[in-house]
Every structure is written in structure tokens, then in C-alpha cells.
């Protein structure tokens, strides 16, 4: 009897470690770009825009608290029940996204509990989340602690991780974490910056095949952005210079905005439209810029590229 | 005396050189801005389409309208949202098909233009009339290659620039089965403007083979999803090419498949 209980307890420890690790990893992926997480919350219909950032921080606190508690071996019902609800909620969201995608409905902005950092199809997100979390959750329940009060030190660590994680998320948008938080970083090939699966898979080099060779400076921006509009003359100058990088704008702005931009700015450089599913994982805030040499990203900058931004200050 | 004369000549030469050096960039800009190429816009006067040639200088960010209906040539300086008439004598049509606007061509200011809602065109007032300059209406329904070429100079230019893989074209030319590629596109869709010319070039190269390429233009907005062909073939986005081998669908070209459409097409044919 006791051997059985020890066996179950060991399974519970394993389940708690796995599930805790998954929740903390998911929380980290979202905490470094909480604004994208907030957008996802709005897109999922969970919260209005005005409350989305606060909702993102609350959700992160929940994930951090439950994840760290499980990792530290706190498997009481008051931890496991909310964890189960969270897991069921995640699976509901990924399942709904999968169903919508399979039925040609709403375009999915991002998939699953790992935010924008991981490129997964809705089906992959559902099955991976299910397989990662459901068995671990069952093990946690099987090997749950009963009647043993968790030590206060563990609870203090849980509280520290939760508060620290939420505080980090609150300031993260202002920290230089773009390369860490997005799929756009030096060394990545533009042909590997993709979204979607199967016949719908679209990569950046399909949007701008020219990036595969030569030196290019790409700005991801909204076309109504004041900073971008101020930079257009400088980008035009760069487009006329021989030997320098060729400037581009890649945007998810609607065709109407592209039309207005072309009429009023008359850019000499190329403006390419890309779907939000491809662009959103590439930035935390727009504009964001990057240099491409022979198809590979060599540098990234928050905002406009240094040469353009400096010209504006001058 | 002779010495003095030599010094004057040298000074004059130096001044000329300095002037040339100083004017160099200006001359370069002037030369660059003066170059106009034909473009595909349509012009209406008080809502009625009129015959007009519209020329564009991308570098200068200017458009030039030549139409008997307007009298004087009209220049739109896009970056300043400004419109003016220019002197007809300063417009020089070149033998290479381009047009040069000579310096000091400005004549009469017509004020500012307004961008139409939806960004599809601009309008301005001239002699009490409303002049609109807009993109061509979308190309709708079934089109053959010639129809596509006639619609847009950009299609022709980009198709000419695309170099399909010769070995793959050879393989496609050897295809024994009847193959029909139906390309669904929107002439309003920027991605289509990049991708469709590629398959136009492939279609040109495959002329006379068993592979036939047709084009089908779709409207923007609600009309897209209401189109009977879109419903029947479940087209969700453009550009999409549906490849029929005989009467059966053999696959589609979409998204990344457009990077090298002949390669995607060959892949679909090899699979079936």
C-alpha cells in the first residue's frame, strides 16, 4: 500500500515537473512580448482592447504561479484544480483555432500557449499542447499531496517568481529584447521566415524575392506611421544611391492604406504587403528594421534603421 | 599683357569648372526627374472617362496627364499633393517611348489634389471641372494571356523580367496529358502583381504545348466570395492557380508555390 503511494507520488513529481516546466516556458515566451499576448487575447475574444494588457498580466501571473508551484512540488488541489481549468482553457482555444482553420473561418493570429515565438499550425498547437499537458496533469492528480501543508519557503519562491515575472512582463516592451522575443534575428534566412503550413505556407522570400541576393534594408511598418512618413524622403534618397542597400517597406496595412501611401508619398523604393500571420511574429513594436545580405538577416534595429533615424534627427 | 590674358582665361576656366561641379548634382537630379514613362491610369472629367495619356516619373514622384479634354498638360507633384499645368512646348516625347519634361515647365497652379477614399485615385479641380485620376477598373472574369498583357504594362514588364527554369519548361512542354491551369487573381491585389506575371511568362513559354493557362480576375470585397467560380472551387485567397489534369483537379499553386510557379506546376504533374 505504501509502495503504491510512493510510486504514485513519484509519478506526481514527474508530472508536476513536466507541467510546471511547460507552463513556465509558455509564460516566459509571452512575458518577453506581452503586447503580442494582449493582442492575442483580444483576437480570441477574451477581453476588450482597453483591458487586454491587464488581462495578459493576470493570465501570466496565473501561469507563473501555477507553473512554479508545480515545479516546486506543490500539488495540492488548490493548485491542481486551477491548473486543470487553465489546461482545459488552452485546449479549448487551440481546438477552436484548429476547427476555424479547418473550416476556412477566422484567420488565426497565433497558435497555442507559446505566443508568437513558435511557428505552429493550429492542428500542431492543439495536439502538442494536449500531449504535453494532459498526461502530465493526470499524473499530478494521481500523485497529489493530501494533508501535507507546503513549506512556506516554497510558497515564498512561488510568490517571488510570480511577482517578478509579472513585473518583468510589465516593463518588457521597453527592453531591448526584440531578437529574443521574435523570429527575426541575425543569422535567420528570409526563406525560413514563414507562416502557415502545406499549400498555404508563405515565406518572406515569396513576398520579396529580391531579398535573396544583394544588400537590402527592410522596414516593417504601418504605412500611416508618422515616423515612417517622415523617413520616406531619406528612404527615397537611399533608393537612388548606387552601392548602398536597397530600401524596402514590408507592411500588413490594408490595400487602401497602401494606395494612399503611394499617392501621397510616391516612394521610389518597393512597398510589399505581407499577411499579419507572417509579419506579427517578426516584431514587438513597429516600425522594426533589419538588414538582409544575400538572403540572410545580418542586423536588426528597433524603429527605423540607424542611417534613416539619424537623418531625421539632423 | 599676354600673361594677364592667360590668367583671365585660367580664372574663367576655373570658375566654369567650379560651376559645373556645383551644378553637377542639380543637373543629375534634373535629368532624373525629367524622365517619364507611360503608365496605366485612367482619367475622368466630371465623372466621364476621357482619352488621356498618363506618364509617370517614379524618381520625381510625378504624373503628367496629356489629354485634349484638359487643354494644357497637367503635372501632379505627388509628394507635395500639388497640381499644376505645364507648358506644352516643354513636353518632349522621345523616340524611345519615354517623355522628358524640360526645365521651367511650370505654368499655372491648380492647387492641391485629394486622395479618394480607399486610396484608389486622386481628384482635383481645373477650370470648374473635377478631374479624377485613378487606377484602372479591376480586370474581371476570364482572360487570356493577351488580355492580361493589354491590361497592365507592369504585368508585361515583370513577366519579361522573370526567367523561368529552362529544364523545367522542357519537362512541362513534354507533358502528354491535357493540362489546364486556371489562375485566379485580383488586379487590385499587390501580391498578384508580383506573382501573376511569373505564370504569364511561363504561359508564354508553354504556348503550343498541352498545358494551357487561363486567367480569371476577381473583384475586391463582397463580390469575391459571391463569385460562382470561387464558391465552386473553394478559392480562399488570390493568387491561386487550380491545376486540372484532364477533367480532374491535380492540385493548386498558392503562397510559396508562386516563388517558382513552373517548379510547383511540374511537382503537381509528377505526383499525379
Amino acid at each position: 500500500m505504501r509502495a503504491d503511494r510512493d510510486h504514485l507520488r513519484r509519478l506526481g513529481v514527474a508530472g508536476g515537473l513536466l507541467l510546471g516546466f511547460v507552463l513556465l516556458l509558455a509564460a516566459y515566451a509571452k512575458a518577453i512580448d506581452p503586447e503580442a499576448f494582449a493582442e492575442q487575447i483580444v483576437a480570441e475574444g477574451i477581453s476588450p482592447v482597453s483591458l487586454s494588457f491587464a488581462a495578459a498580466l493576470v493570465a501570466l501571473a496565473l501561469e507563473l504561479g501555477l507553473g512554479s508551484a508545480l515545479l516546486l512540488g506543490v500539488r495540492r488541489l488548490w493548485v491542481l484544480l486551477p491548473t486543470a481549468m487553465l489546461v482545459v482553457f488552452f485546449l479549448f482555444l487551440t481546438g477552436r483555432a484548429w476547427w476555424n482553420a479547418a473550416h476556412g473561418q477566422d484567420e488565426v493570429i497565433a497558435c497555442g500557449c507559446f505566443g508568437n515565438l513558435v511557428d505552429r499550425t493550429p492542428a500542431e498547437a492543439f495536439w502538442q499542447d494536449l500531449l504535453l499537458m494532459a498526461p502530465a496533469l493526470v499524473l499530478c492528480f494521481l500523485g497529489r499531496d493530501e494533508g501535507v501543508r507546503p513549506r512556506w519557503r516554497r510558497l515564498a519562491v512561488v510568490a517571488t517568481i510570480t511577482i517578478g515575472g509579472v513585473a518583468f512582463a510589465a516593463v518588457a516592451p521597453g527592453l531591448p529584447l526584440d531578437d529574443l522575443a521574435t523570429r527575426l534575428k541575425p543569422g535567420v534566412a528570409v526563406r525560413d521566415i514563414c507562416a502557415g503550413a502545406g499549400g498555404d505556407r508563405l515565406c518572406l522570400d515569396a513576398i520579396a524575392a529580391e531579398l535573396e541576393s544583394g544588400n537590402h534594408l527592410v522596414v516593417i511598418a504601418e504605412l500611416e506611421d508618422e515616423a515612417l512618413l517622415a523617413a520616406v524622403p531619406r528612404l527615397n534618397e537611399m533608393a537612388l544611391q548606387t552601392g548602398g542597400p536597397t530600401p524596402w517597406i514590408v507592411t500588413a496595412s490594408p490595400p487602401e492604406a497602401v494606395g494612399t501611401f503611394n499617392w501621397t508619398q510616391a516612394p521610389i523604393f518597393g512597398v510589399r504587403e505581407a499577411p499579419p500571420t507572417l509579419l506579427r511574429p517578426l516584431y514587438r513594436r513597429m516600425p522594426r528594421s533589419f538588414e538582409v545580405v544575400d538572403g540572410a538577416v545580418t542586423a536588426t534595429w528597433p524603429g527605423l534603421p540607424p542611417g534613416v533615424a539619424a537623418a531625421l534627427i539632423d | 599683357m599676354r600673361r594677364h590674358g592667360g590668367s583671365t582665361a585660367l580664372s574663367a576656366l576655373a570658375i566654369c569648372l567650379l560651376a559645373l561641379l556645383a551644378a553637377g548634382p542639380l543637373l543629375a537630379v534634373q535629368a532624373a526627374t525629367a524622365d517619364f514613362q507611360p503608365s496605366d491610369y485612367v482619367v475622368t472629367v466630371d465623372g466621364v472617362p476621357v482619352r488621356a495619356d498618363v506618364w509617370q516619373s517614379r524618381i520625381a514622384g510625378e504624373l503628367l496627364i496629356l489629354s485634349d479634354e484638359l487643354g494644357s498638360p497637367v503635372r501632379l507633384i505627388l509628394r507635395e499633393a500639388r497640381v499644376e499645368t505645364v507648358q506644352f512646348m516643354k513636353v518632349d516625347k522621345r523616340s524611345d517611348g519615354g517623355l522628358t519634361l524640360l526645365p521651367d515647365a511650370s505654368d499655372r497652379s491648380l492647387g492641391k489634389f485629394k486622395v479618394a477614399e480607399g486610396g484608389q485615385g486622386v481628384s482635383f479641380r481645373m477650370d470648374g471641372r473635377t478631374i479624377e485620376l485613378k487606377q484602372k477598373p479591376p480586370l474581371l472574369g476570364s482572360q487570356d494571356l493577351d488580355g492580361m498583357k493589354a491590361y497592365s504594362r507592369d504585368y508585361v514588364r515583370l513577366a519579361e523580367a522573370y526567367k523561368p527554369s529552362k529544364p523545367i519548361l522542357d519537362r512541362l512542354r513534354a507533358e502528354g496529358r491535357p493540362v489546364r491551369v486556371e489562375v485566379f487573381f485580383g488586379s487590385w491585389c499587390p501580391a498578384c502583381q508580383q506573382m501573376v506575371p511569373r505564370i504569364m511568362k511561363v504561359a508564354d513559354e508553354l504556348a503550343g504545348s498541352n498545358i494551357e493557362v487561363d486567367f480569371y480576375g476577381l473583384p475586391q470585397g463582397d463580390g469575391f466570395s459571391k463569385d460562382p467560380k470561387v464558391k465552386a472551387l473553394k478559392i480562399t485567397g488570390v493568387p491561386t492557380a487550380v491545376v486540372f489534369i484532364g477533367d480532374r483537379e491535380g492540385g493548386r499553386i498558392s503562397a510559396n508555390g508562386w516563388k517558382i510557379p513552373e517548379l510547383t506546376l511540374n511537382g503537381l504533374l509528377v505526383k499525379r
Side-chain angles (χ1 to χ4, degrees):
Chain A
M1 190 70 180
R2 187 185 166 119
D4 280 354
R5 211 183 304 149
D6 285 348
H7 187 61
L8 283 177
R9 198 175 168 280
R10 277 196 288 274
L11 287 176
V13 168
L17 285 175
L18 177 61
L19 191 52
F21 178 73
V22 168
L23 289 177
L24 286 182
L25 193 66
Y28 164 75
K30 286 178 287 209
I32 52 178
D33 190 3
E35 288 173 344
F37 182 38
E39 279 176 32
Q40 200 177 347
I41 285 173
V42 174
E44 299 280 10
I46 299 165
S47 155
V49 176
S50 55
L51 298 175
S52 60
F53 195 76
L57 294 183
V58 170
L60 277 172
L62 203 61
E63 262 185 292
L64 287 163
L66 296 172
S68 54
L70 288 171
L71 206 63
L72 292 169
V74 183
R75 292 186 307 283
R76 301 291 300 273
L77 270 183
W78 52 266
V79 171
L80 295 182
L81 285 176
T83 306
M85 287 164 70
L86 194 65
V87 169
V88 168
F89 187 59
F90 277 148
L91 293 175
F92 161 73
L93 292 178
T94 52
R96 187 177 65 173
W98 181 22
W99 195 91
N100 284 343
H103 291 81
Q105 294 188 8
D106 308 333
E107 202 173 11
V108 185
I109 286 177
C111 292
C113 60
F114 293 101
N116 273 327
L117 206 53
V118 187
D119 178 19
R120 304 190 296 176
T121 65
E124 285 168 352
F126 175 76
W127 286 110
Q128 285 173 6
D129 286 4
L130 181 72
L131 293 173
L132 272 173
M133 294 193 288
L137 183 66
V138 171
L139 292 180
C140 287
F141 267 100
L142 287 175
R144 71 179 179 272
D145 288 330
E146 286 177 283
V148 187
R149 293 184 68 173
R151 288 180 192 153
W152 69 267
R153 277 185 196 157
R154 289 188 187 184
L155 294 180
V157 173
V158 168
T160 306
I161 290 173
T162 305
I163 294 166
V166 171
F168 168 74
V171 299
L175 300 176
L177 300 171
D178 287 341
D179 288 352
L180 204 62
T182 68
R183 294 179 210 163
L184 181 68
K185 57 198 85 184
V188 172
V190 289
R191 76 169 75 91
D192 295 331
I193 297 173
C194 306
D200 291 331
R201 189 157 181 82
L202 182 68
C203 301
L204 196 55
D205 65 331
I207 302 288
E210 295 88 343
L211 299 182
E212 281 291 357
S213 62
N215 187 1
H216 305 271
L217 202 54
V218 187
V219 182
I220 303 170
E222 277 179 346
L223 295 179
E224 299 91 345
D225 189 304
E226 292 293 330
L228 176 74
L229 295 178
V232 168
R234 175 68 189 126
L235 291 169
N236 277 338
E237 278 175 29
M238 290 176 76
L240 288 175
Q241 281 167 3
T242 47
T246 307
W248 297 89
I249 290 179
V250 182
T251 183
S253 294
E256 302 79 52
V258 178
T260 303
F261 183 83
N262 284 332
W263 280 111
T264 54
Q265 304 299 316
I268 299 170
F269 50 86
V271 178
R272 294 288 160 83
E273 283 177 273
T277 42
L278 178 63
L279 275 198
R280 189 60 189 91
L282 305 186
Y283 64 87
R284 294 194 305 161
R285 282 179 177 174
M286 286 191 283
R288 189 179 185 212
S289 317
F290 58 103
E291 184 189 52
V292 178
V293 178
D294 294 335
V297 176
T298 51
T300 66
W301 301 278
L304 297 164
V308 177
L312 291 181
I313 293 164
D314 292 346
Chain B
M1 191 73 180
R2 269 174 90 186
R3 217 174 137 191
H4 179 73
S7 148
T8 310
L10 274 175
S11 304
L13 187 65
I15 289 166
C16 284
L17 277 172
L18 279 172
L20 269 175
L21 280 172
L26 290 173
L27 287 173
V29 170
Q30 192 61 62
T33 57
D35 180 42
F36 285 77
Q37 295 297 324
S39 68
D40 286 322
Y41 297 102
V42 292
V43 177
T44 66
V45 176
D46 289 332
V48 180
V50 296
R51 280 181 66 93
D53 290 324
V54 182
W55 303 73
Q56 181 170 27
S57 169
R58 281 198 71 202
I59 290 174
E62 294 182 3
L63 290 164
L64 190 68
I65 308 171
L66 299 181
S67 170
D68 291 342
E69 293 290 329
L70 302 183
S72 310
V74 173
R75 171 159 70 169
L76 282 82
I77 302 157
L78 300 181
R79 291 174 196 140
E80 297 169 24
R82 200 157 58 78
V83 192
E84 64 183 19
T85 61
V86 295
Q87 299 167 50
F88 194 77
M89 299 297 286
K90 299 278 186 176
V91 177
D92 177 28
K93 279 190 185 176
R94 302 193 308 262
S95 56
D96 65 357
L99 183 149
T100 303
L101 194 58
L102 300 173
D104 305 321
S106 298
D107 185 18
R108 177 165 60 102
S109 171
L110 298 175
K112 299 270 183 183
F113 65 72
K114 285 183 192 159
V115 179
E117 206 172 312
Q120 295 298 304
V122 294
S123 65
F124 57 92
R125 300 280 294 169
M126 182 181 183
D127 303 331
R129 298 178 298 173
T130 301
I131 319 297
E132 286 177 289
L133 182 66
K134 36 188 170 181
Q135 315 275 3
K136 275 186 175 178
L139 194 57
L140 301 177
S142 292
Q143 304 292 331
D144 61 12
L145 190 56
D146 289 337
M148 298 292 288
K149 286 179 180 174
Y151 178 76
S152 165
R153 288 182 174 89
D154 283 342
Y155 283 170
V156 175
R157 182 176 54 81
L158 291 170
E160 277 170 6
Y162 183 63
K163 305 278 178 247
S165 156
K166 198 173 172 310
I168 294 172
L169 285 177
D170 290 342
R171 260 183 268 165
L172 290 172
R173 278 192 207 100
E175 174 64 44
R177 297 166 293 180
V179 174
R180 189 165 60 85
V181 181
E182 191 153 17
V183 182
F184 291 86
F185 72 101
S187 54
W188 40 268
C189 139
C192 301
Q193 279 164 13
Q194 296 299 317
M195 311 298 186
V196 170
R198 298 180 190 185
I199 197 132
M200 286 171 63
K201 181 65 173 285
V202 172
D204 230 352
E205 297 281 342
L206 294 179
S209 74
N210 281 338
I211 299 176
E212 180 192 330
V213 183
D214 297 323
F215 300 86
Y216 192 86
L218 288 164
Q220 203 169 2
D222 286 347
F224 184 103
S225 48
K226 286 179 184 161
D227 187 279
K229 277 202 163 191
V230 165
K231 282 184 185 171
L233 290 167
K234 296 191 170 82
I235 304 291
T236 55
V238 283
T240 298
V242 185
V243 179
F244 295 96
I245 305 170
D247 291 335
R248 298 186 63 180
E249 184 179 329
R252 296 184 177 205
I253 304 175
S254 60
N256 270 355
W258 286 110
K259 275 195 259 184
I260 310 174
E262 69 277 16
L263 182 68
T264 312
L265 175 60
N266 186 58
L268 292 172
L269 296 180
V270 167
K271 268 190 206 164
R272 300 281 165 166

